[in-house]
Amino acid sequence: MIVVKVGGSAGIDYDAVCADIAARWKNGERLILVHGGSGETNRVAEALGHPPKFVTSPSGYTSRFTDRQTLEIFEMVYCGKMNKGIVERLQRLGVNAVGLSGLDGRIFEGKHKDSVRSVENGKVKVLRGDHTGTVERVNTHLIDLLLAGGYLPVLTPPASSYDGVAINVDGDRAAAALAVALKADALLLLSNVPGLLRAYPDESSLIREIPAADVENYLEFAQDRMKKKVLGAAEAVQGGVRRVIFGDARHGQPVSAALGGQGTVVS
Ligand code: ADP
């Protein structure tokens, strides 16, 4: 089993990702696709007059402040446009894909965090009304049913809180939790960069290999949201996933290239 997470940043070639996945699926490989949608969510949120607000925690992690209205816009884009766009691509390629959010069947579950600490102008503020959380539990029953029926699951945040409230969760870490729960052979984190860069944005500074035991030491090279990918990779390898690869989804055959060792391989 391979878990593929494709991001939501500008430049990602979803046609290329879907064509590669469809070819591998038809060859008998078992795959699950998890996707993001942050770039499109930002665009739609601006257009709807509710621009995105990002907060940076005291420990340096950036996340989207998700009030109710943001959550609704987030769902429109992630569960609507992005999810159905990917499912349609796969259906056109002859793959019977099913798109679900983590709320559906409570596939992704975690604690609802209502407040977040944000560093603004050097001061720490507490913002309330946040709909975020972290995936702590993956309920694989529905996924097992789909796979057994020959369907390719296409999953996206949000997740469900333990009380059934929709929560915005990081897609990379959700994919990592899924890979651990399914005892996947590999987790691919595909984005619009060649992999983890030692000197971002210099693409010639690609880090090719990271020993699994050392992955957290590489957090220092990741800025902003790349940190969540490194954290997700650490969680996956600590949970028993043998290989995590940060790969390029901008062109070519992104899944096959990553599985062939291109990008940053954590093992
Ligand atoms: P996605 O939505 O595609 O999953 P993110 O935007 O969450 O991707 O994270 C990938 C982004 O992280 C890259 O587009 C890049 O701007 C940024 N980044 C920060 N530091 C690094 C780094 N050291 N190497 C590669 N990318 C980095």
Side-chain angles (χ1 to χ4, degrees):
M1 170 68 63
I2 308 230
V3 174
V4 179
K5 153 74 178 25
V6 61
S9 307
I12 289 174
D13 185 344
Y14 294 99
D15 289 330
V17 173
C18 290
D20 199 8
I21 285 181
R24 299 186 75 97
W25 178 263
K26 287 179 185 172
N27 255 338
E29 192 162 80
R30 295 300 82 180
L31 291 152
I32 296 191
L33 183 57
V34 180
H35 68 85
S38 58
E40 185 64 11
T41 300
N42 294 346
R43 204 186 61 71
V44 172
E46 293 278 358
L48 291 176
H50 193 69
K53 180 176 166 77
F54 289 97
V55 295
T56 304
S57 72
S59 48
Y61 287 93
T62 306
S63 61
R64 184 188 297 276
F65 181 68
T66 310
D67 58 14
R68 224 334 131 174
Q69 203 179 342
T70 301
L71 179 73
E72 288 172 6
I73 296 168
F74 179 94
E75 288 176 331
M76 279 183 222
V77 176
Y78 278 69
C79 313
K81 182 172 181 182
M82 298 300 294
N83 190 266
K84 296 316 148 197
I86 290 172
V87 170
E88 184 189 3
R89 282 181 180 87
L90 290 167
Q91 289 291 354
R92 280 174 176 239
L93 292 161
V95 174
N96 207 354
V98 172
L100 295 170
S101 80
L103 259 179
D104 297 284
R106 289 180 180 258
I107 293 171
F108 293 135
E109 260 189 315
K111 226 183 270 128
H112 175 187
K113 216 164 131 254
D114 173 70
S115 63
V116 65
R117 291 200 301 154
S118 165
V119 183
E120 289 172 31
N121 303 324
K123 285 197 185 141
V124 179
K125 281 189 173 175
V126 177
L127 303 176
R128 298 197 189 280
D130 202 11
H131 282 267
T132 58
T134 304
V135 174
E136 293 169 346
R137 205 152 77 186
V138 180
N139 298 307
T140 56
H141 182 64
L142 181 54
I143 295 168
D144 293 337
L145 284 178
L146 290 173
L147 290 169
Y151 299 97
L152 192 163
V154 179
L155 306 179
T156 183
S160 173
S161 78
Y162 295 118
D163 300 323
V165 175
I167 49 172
N168 180 1
V169 293
D170 179 67
D172 295 306
R173 294 179 70 193
L178 179 69
V180 170
L182 294 173
K183 300 187 171 39
D185 303 303
L187 166 67
L188 310 190
L189 300 175
L190 307 179
S191 183
N192 64 349
V193 280
L196 181 64
L197 305 173
R198 193 172 284 275
Y200 174 78
D202 174 6
E203 297 200 356
S204 69
S205 69
L206 176 68
I207 297 167
R208 295 201 170 272
E209 283 177 21
I210 299 178
D214 271 4
V215 57
E216 274 166 347
N217 296 335
Y218 285 74
L219 270 171
E220 64 172 294
F221 300 114
Q223 289 138 37
D224 315 319
R225 302 190 330 213
M226 198 70 196
K227 278 186 193 289
K228 295 267 176 77
K229 290 190 200 297
V230 177
L231 206 59
E235 288 163 353
V237 290
Q238 280 155 17
V241 178
R242 270 188 313 219
R243 264 201 317 163
V244 181
I245 303 149
F246 302 116
D248 197 336
R250 290 173 298 181
H251 37 65
Q253 295 179 300
V255 174
S256 302
L259 286 171
Q262 281 180 40
T264 304
V265 181
V266 184
S267 64

